[in-house]
Amino acid sequence: MSRKVFVSAKEVADRAGVSRSAVSRTFTPGASVSEETRRRVVEAAEALGYHVNHLARGLMRNESGIVCLIVSELDTPYRARLLKALTQQLQSVAKIAMVINTDRSDDSVDLALRQAIRYRADASIILSGMPDKSITDLCLKNGQRLVLINRDEDREGPLLINLNDREAARRAFIALQRAGCQTFAFANSAAMTPSLMAREEGFREAGRAHGIEVVVERYGPTSYRSGAIVAQRLLTREKRPDAIFCASDLLACGLMDAARHQFNLAVPSELCVIGFDDIEQASWSSYNLTTFAQPVERIAAEAVAWLAQPSQTEANSHKLEAELIWRGSVRGG
Amino acid sequence: MSRKVFVSAKEVADRAGVSRSAVSRTFTPGASVSEETRRRVVEAAEALGYHVNHLARGLMRNESGIVCLIVSELDTPYRARLLKALTQQLQSVAKIAMVINTDRSDDSVDLALRQAIRYRADASIILSGMPDKSITDLCLKNGQRLVLINRDEDREGPLLINLNDREAARRAFIALQRAGCQTFAFANSAAMTPSLMAREEGFREAGRAHGIEVVVERYGPTSYRSGAIVAQRLLTREKRPDAIFCASDLLACGLMDAARHQFNLAVPSELCVIGFDDIEQASWSSYNLTTFAQPVERIAAEAVAWLAQPSQTEANSHKLEAELIWRGSVRGG
DNA sequence: CAATTTATTGCACTCGCTTGCAAAAAGATG
DNA sequence: CATCTTTTTGCAAGCGAGTGCAATAAATTG
């Protein structure tokens, strides 16, 4: 009826005929226990189904082993992949992921971080949304580590991991130019996150450097549907673009579908498209999209490695390169 | 240098000039505190940046507020959606999700459940993989609740949520028959999970009921690539199927792409396809796939509602219906 | 074998919080 | 104003584990 209580170290100790400390030490790597005692403890623990209470351990050690992942739109292919990589790699260093969903509002990120503090998470990794400065300060002051992925920020303390978006955008421009394109456009969502904007800026800049003006269109969230709508706007212009760099693959897929099915344009012969993220769908043969791959595993690895090291090394900022994956949505290649 | 210690209730109490208990009561809904004391406590807490330590609270109350989500392949569209719905709805009842990644081996589910026990999770929700009976027993014995989604199991205790897969398969058959199809096939992965097998069985059965033999092909994991391979096998048969029911949308997408791009078949005029899950991509205009929608939000709601109620009601089994979403991959409709 | 060093063990305190209980304060009643 | 209720409040005993310290046992040395 009432919640059956979990078995505690005390019970194990009694059964094994040793003190409670012996049990505790048996499950603490590096503690001093004789082979004989350990054996008896382990045996008793097994028999009783004992599992160390990490709540209590965390309380004592002041280190819970919990890492908070704060994310919005986690059902989006790129986010889901990142989430998977992170949870997996965290597990491999004996930490555990707590995931908190936020909507786009900064307020909800604050709520999430508060929750992280309540559970005394050792660290928080923010995949989306900018938390309020006062809250991140609170986290840091509480000895919590903070990782910001693809968020620009100049504050000291958190680990910043982001891509060299500008450079990627530049390379996209070159690639499209080599393919013989004349009229360039950039398809963006209206989310205006730092990384999306960096791609936009980078592409524009590259255009300027070549004396070419780049049309930019932004609409809605970063989704398939937005891509289709941006396509409408771009492809009905008097001077129709024949090269479009999309801020994300999701936008690119929507845009390509609209281009083909509504405007009857052939890709890549009449329209070249480059995306960003390298989500799984980009490789599907209906899209076969040339795109930049986010080094998801690398990102997760960097984050986890930084969290795993015992002493806080000075917070640094890692900039990774996105790899250009050539497929069939650009001529030549 | 060393982890700055978090601020505790003691400090808040001192600053507010009240006892530790007063602080505790202020943050415990329904406890007896005067308006005046509460005000002072809240003020002090705010000033110091105090947050209740849920580790300690969980220890005392023997109820952590943590719910473990055990999932494999969480970067798959359907899984990601379910995960999102669950984390969100859990948050809304003041519980928090811990997610554990498993690979397909049952062993890794055991490891995950062990972890859940260590953190004294109030419940575990298993989205994939069958845990060993002894482990689920352990969970239940420890007063942990268990929810199994789309997993058949006849044990008492856990809440079982699954779809009426057989019925859906039957409806799929009828729909394809109405579309005038002659040769029926079922495309499956080799994962052989209960729900995938139920769909297969249901479809075969429906065929048998109409005196029609259904060809079944299974291959690999439940993925796009597997769909393409199954397509190869099915579409090169001497008697080529003109109706294929796919165990999942991912398979369906791979299959459709192969059918169109490798076999130059037009959908739906030469080949009708029905999928399962209603992932986002099914609605993309390149696929425009007729499919069965998993009621993801409903599933999450049922699970969360059951977990939220204070007293364990007798474990029951919920069977939900999948809704047929008509799109363009089947003639007629 | 005594003396010294080293490995193991148990005691007791601590971590931060909840809660039963009894004392104190505030309100209600006659 | 005295008496009886009803709130509030603080004390202290846990919850389940980790760990410094001193006591004990085992191993090493001369």
Side-chain angles (χ1 to χ4, degrees):
Chain A
M1 202 85 300
S2 69
R3 293 172 67 84
K4 177 71 188 312
V5 78
F6 287 73
V7 17
S8 74
K10 175 86 171 55
E11 302 172 49
V12 177
D14 289 352
R15 185 184 232 261
V18 297
S19 78
R20 231 207 62 260
S21 335
V23 178
S24 190
R25 287 195 248 264
T26 300
F27 293 103
T28 303
S32 162
V33 228
S34 72
E35 226 21 79
E36 167 62 6
T37 330
R38 150 165 280 124
R39 200 188 49 69
R40 289 168 59 186
V41 169
V42 168
E43 189 181 293
E46 204 91 343
L48 265 47
Y50 170 74
H51 290 87
V52 177
N53 185 333
H54 274 46
L55 265 41
R57 169 179 281 186
L59 188 55
M60 261 304 299
R61 291 224 182 121
N62 198 26
E63 180 177 326
S64 61
I66 296 173
V67 174
C68 252
L69 305 184
I70 300 178
V71 59
S72 69
E73 299 164 354
L74 71 79
D75 54 345
T76 259
Y78 160 64
R79 290 275 160 64
R81 256 178 57 211
L82 189 48
L83 196 71
K84 182 185 183 189
L86 281 168
T87 52
Q88 244 163 10
Q89 300 205 25
L90 282 171
Q91 274 168 246
S92 73
V93 297
K95 298 208 171 289
I96 190 148
M98 206 163 231
V99 358
I100 303 188
N101 231 300
T102 62
D103 50 48
R104 295 226 65 73
S105 76
D106 292 353
D107 195 49
S108 78
V109 177
D110 287 3
L111 253 50
L113 278 178
R114 289 222 141 76
Q115 196 74 332
I117 293 181
R118 290 202 193 91
Y119 278 97
R120 299 303 189 256
D122 297 339
S124 296
I125 303 182
I126 300 183
L127 311 188
S128 33
M130 271 319 269
D132 192 67
K133 184 166 168 341
S134 65
I135 295 289
T136 55
D137 281 352
L138 192 56
C139 285
L140 295 172
K141 210 180 66 188
N142 284 332
Q144 201 172 101
R145 297 180 186 182
L146 210 54
V147 180
L148 304 181
I149 297 180
N150 280 342
R151 305 278 129 190
D152 245 347
E153 178 103 352
D154 47 0
R155 182 122 24 85
E156 277 301 296
L159 170 67
L160 307 174
I161 302 181
N162 37 37
L163 299 190
N164 197 340
D165 292 295
R166 300 189 107 81
E167 169 59 12
R170 208 184 54 74
R171 288 170 59 204
F173 187 89
I174 307 279
L176 291 168
Q177 204 177 35
R178 288 235 177 91
C181 297
Q182 306 287 331
T183 315
F184 296 77
F186 185 81
N188 205 351
S189 74
M192 313 274 262
T193 68
S195 51
L196 296 181
M197 290 315 282
R199 289 166 206 165
E200 179 179 316
E201 283 306 314
F203 198 64
R204 285 186 117 138
E205 235 160 53
R208 229 167 319 168
H210 290 77
I212 294 177
E213 217 224 328
V214 170
V215 180
V216 171
E217 196 69 65
R218 299 189 200 124
Y219 178 87
T222 314
S223 67
Y224 174 89
R225 222 176 67 78
S226 298
I229 289 173
V230 167
Q232 304 264 26
R233 298 197 182 163
L234 286 174
L235 300 176
T236 49
R237 292 176 66 90
E238 69 282 26
K239 208 176 157 207
R240 176 160 57 69
D242 60 348
I244 304 183
F245 180 35
C246 300
S248 89
D249 282 357
L250 236 31
L251 290 169
C253 288
L255 182 138
M256 282 176 80
D257 274 347
R260 284 173 171 156
H261 304 140
Q262 286 176 46
F263 294 89
N264 279 307
L265 293 173
V267 175
S269 57
E270 297 172 279
L271 174 66
C272 290
V273 179
I274 297 185
F276 207 108
D277 286 349
D278 193 29
I279 63 177
E280 202 208 316
Q281 287 74 28
S283 72
W284 289 7
S285 61
S286 279
Y287 300 99
N288 196 20
L289 179 66
T290 295
T291 189
F292 289 90
Q294 293 236 26
V296 169
E297 294 291 335
R298 275 277 317 273
I299 294 175
E302 300 257 4
V304 172
W306 187 67
L307 297 181
Q309 61 193 6
S311 74
Q312 178 100 286
T313 53
E314 93 280 4
N316 23 25
S317 163
H318 289 195
K319 203 143 203 135
L320 307 180
E321 295 298 329
E323 187 193 354
L324 180 52
I325 309 286
W326 277 99
R327 294 208 185 86
S329 63
V330 174
R331 289 188 292 275
Chain B
M1 202 84 304
S2 69
R3 295 172 66 83
K4 176 75 188 313
V5 78
F6 286 74
V7 15
S8 74
K10 175 87 169 56
E11 303 171 50
V12 177
D14 288 352
R15 186 183 230 261
V18 298
S19 77
R20 221 174 6 285
S21 338
V23 178
S24 187
R25 291 194 172 96
T26 301
F27 294 104
T28 302
S32 162
V33 227
S34 71
E35 227 19 82
E36 168 62 6
T37 332
R38 151 166 278 125
R39 201 188 49 68
R40 290 167 60 187
V41 169
V42 168
E43 190 180 292
E46 203 91 344
L48 265 47
Y50 170 75
H51 288 88
V52 177
N53 186 332
H54 273 48
L55 265 40
R57 168 177 282 186
L59 189 55
M60 261 306 298
R61 294 223 180 121
N62 198 26
E63 179 177 329
S64 60
I66 296 173
V67 173
C68 254
L69 304 184
I70 299 178
V71 58
S72 69
E73 299 165 354
L74 71 80
D75 55 345
T76 259
Y78 160 64
R79 291 276 160 64
R81 257 179 58 212
L82 189 49
L83 196 71
K84 183 186 183 189
L86 281 168
T87 53
Q88 245 164 10
Q89 299 205 25
L90 282 171
Q91 273 167 247
S92 73
V93 296
K95 299 210 170 288
I96 191 150
M98 207 164 230
V99 357
I100 303 187
N101 232 300
T102 62
D103 50 47
R104 295 228 65 74
S105 74
D106 291 353
D107 194 49
S108 78
V109 176
D110 286 3
L111 252 50
L113 278 179
R114 288 223 140 77
Q115 195 75 333
I117 293 181
R118 290 203 192 91
Y119 279 96
R120 299 301 189 258
D122 296 340
S124 296
I125 302 182
I126 299 182
L127 311 188
S128 30
M130 270 319 269
D132 192 68
K133 184 165 169 344
S134 66
I135 295 289
T136 56
D137 280 353
L138 191 56
C139 285
L140 295 172
K141 210 181 65 187
N142 283 334
Q144 203 173 98
R145 297 180 185 182
L146 211 53
V147 179
L148 304 180
I149 297 180
N150 280 342
R151 306 277 130 189
D152 245 347
E153 177 104 353
D154 48 0
R155 183 119 25 84
E156 276 300 297
L159 170 67
L160 308 174
I161 302 181
N162 39 36
L163 299 190
N164 196 339
D165 292 295
R166 300 189 107 81
E167 169 60 12
R170 208 184 53 75
R171 289 170 57 203
F173 187 90
I174 306 279
L176 291 168
Q177 204 178 36
R178 287 234 179 92
C181 298
Q182 305 288 331
T183 316
F184 295 77
F186 185 80
N188 205 352
S189 72
M192 316 272 262
T193 67
S195 50
L196 297 181
M197 291 314 283
R199 289 166 206 167
E200 179 179 316
E201 282 305 314
F203 198 64
R204 286 186 118 138
E205 233 160 56
R208 227 164 321 162
H210 289 77
I212 294 177
E213 216 225 328
V214 170
V215 180
V216 171
E217 196 68 66
R218 300 190 200 123
Y219 177 87
T222 313
S223 67
Y224 175 88
R225 223 176 67 78
S226 297
I229 289 173
V230 168
Q232 305 264 28
R233 298 198 182 161
L234 286 175
L235 300 176
T236 49
R237 291 177 66 90
E238 69 282 26
K239 207 176 158 209
R240 176 161 56 70
D242 60 348
I244 304 183
F245 180 35
C246 300
S248 89
D249 282 358
L250 236 30
L251 290 169
C253 288
L255 182 137
M256 281 176 79
D257 275 347
R260 283 173 172 156
H261 305 138
Q262 286 176 45
F263 294 89
N264 279 307
L265 292 174
V267 175
S269 58
E270 297 173 279
L271 173 66
C272 290
V273 179
I274 297 186
F276 207 109
D277 286 348
D278 193 29
I279 63 177
E280 201 209 316
Q281 288 73 29
S283 71
W284 290 7
S285 59
S286 279
Y287 299 99
N288 196 21
L289 178 67
T290 295
T291 188
F292 289 89
Q294 294 237 22
V296 169
E297 295 291 335
R298 276 277 317 274
I299 293 176
E302 300 259 4
V304 172
W306 187 68
L307 297 182
Q309 60 192 6
S311 74
Q312 179 100 286
T313 54
E314 93 281 3
N316 23 26
S317 161
H318 289 195
K319 204 144 202 134
L320 307 180
E321 294 298 328
E323 186 193 356
L324 180 51
I325 309 285
W326 278 99
R327 294 210 184 85
S329 63
V330 174
R331 290 188 291 274

